[in-house]
């Protein structure tokens, strides 16, 4: 795939959705961080159902620490891996208070040092809240990047690096959200909706499904 085709793909995605946003509910960078931490191997819908209730009771590091791990579990028990996520959330809240005056840091290194926060979670926070042109590659983006041939890669990091390299700079800030939404609703895993796809004629997927 060449530069002109990639440009046209993202130009169309931008025209359809000029201001893409995450589907996670949040009103502060801390709420976003915790929501993303909870979203690993879980749907945004399930996370929102839990955090909509949790954040009414506790939505700062101090308040969640005071809530305690066992009580926190009661709010997030419908989310997969809730036991380990509760433990990491409590540890992260403590680290934020001890090391960052209760504030969420805006560097990858500091974010990745937080318990339960890996590269993908850090990238989501950096991109979504701090507006840094980084790429958080989840299963949807990994699939879309490889299937369309926008950026082929054997693993998540290779796809991330190639997306950063190949996506035209003017689209890079919003590319994460365009690609994740495209993968979630159009370029789905089992049966992609190629017949109604905005970029079907530009995509290099050889097994297109056109109903």
């Amino acid at each position: 795939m060449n530069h002109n085709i990639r440009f046209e793909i993202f130009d169309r995605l931008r025209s359809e959705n000029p201001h893409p946003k995450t589907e996670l509910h949040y009103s502060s960078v801390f709420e976003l961080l915790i929501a993303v931490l909870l979203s690993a191997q879980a749907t945004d819908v399930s996370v929102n159902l839990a955090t909509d209730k949790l954040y009414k009771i506790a939505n700062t590091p101090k308040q969640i620490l005071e809530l305690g791990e066992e009580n926190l579990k009661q709010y997030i028990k419908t989310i997969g891996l809730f036991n380990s996520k509760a433990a990491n959330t409590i540890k992260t809240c403590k680290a934020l208070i001890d090391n960052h005056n209760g504030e969420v840091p805006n560097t990858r290194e500091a974010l990745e040092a937080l318990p339960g926060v890996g590269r993908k979670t850090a990238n989501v926070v950096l991109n979504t809240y701090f507006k840094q042109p980084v790429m958080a590659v989840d299963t949807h983006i990994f699939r879309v990047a490889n299937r369309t041939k926008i950026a082929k890669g054997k693993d998540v990091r290779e796809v991330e690096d190639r997306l950063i390299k190949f996506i035209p700079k003017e689209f890079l800030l919003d590319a994460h959200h365009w690609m994740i939404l495209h993968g979630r609703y159009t370029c789905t895993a089992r049966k992609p909706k190629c017949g109604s796809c905005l970029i079907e004629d530009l995509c290099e997927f050889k097994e297109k499904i056109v109903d």
Side-chain angles (χ1 to χ4, degrees), residues 29-37 92 96 104 114 117 121 125:
V29 63
F30 174 73
E31 288 188 2
L32 174 64
L33 172 64
I34 299 305
V36 179
L37 192 156
T92 283
L96 290 174
V104 176
L114 298 170
V117 177
T121 296
V125 174

Side-chain angles (χ1 to χ4, degrees), residues 7-83:
F7 188 96
E8 178 64 21
I9 284 173
F10 286 100
D11 191 45
R12 290 185 190 180
L13 293 173
R14 179 174 62 183
S15 295
E16 182 184 53
N17 185 4
H19 306 291
K21 294 181 175 64
T22 179
E23 293 186 319
L24 290 170
H25 297 169
Y26 72 97
S27 60
S28 69
V29 63
F30 174 73
E31 288 188 2
L32 174 64
L33 172 64
I34 299 305
V36 179
L37 192 156
L38 295 175
S39 71
Q41 299 181 49
T43 66
D44 287 1
V45 172
S46 68
V47 173
N48 289 336
L49 287 171
T51 57
D52 285 350
K53 296 177 182 177
L54 171 64
Y55 292 158
K56 291 176 182 177
I57 303 301
N59 69 342
T60 67
K62 183 175 182 291
Q63 288 173 344
I64 287 182
L65 269 183
E66 290 172 348
L67 185 65
E69 186 172 334
E70 292 307 312
N71 286 328
L72 175 60
K73 287 180 184 179
Q74 297 307 306
Y75 286 94
I76 67 171
K77 62 185 178 182
T78 55
I79 301 173
L81 307 175
F82 73 92
N83 283 312

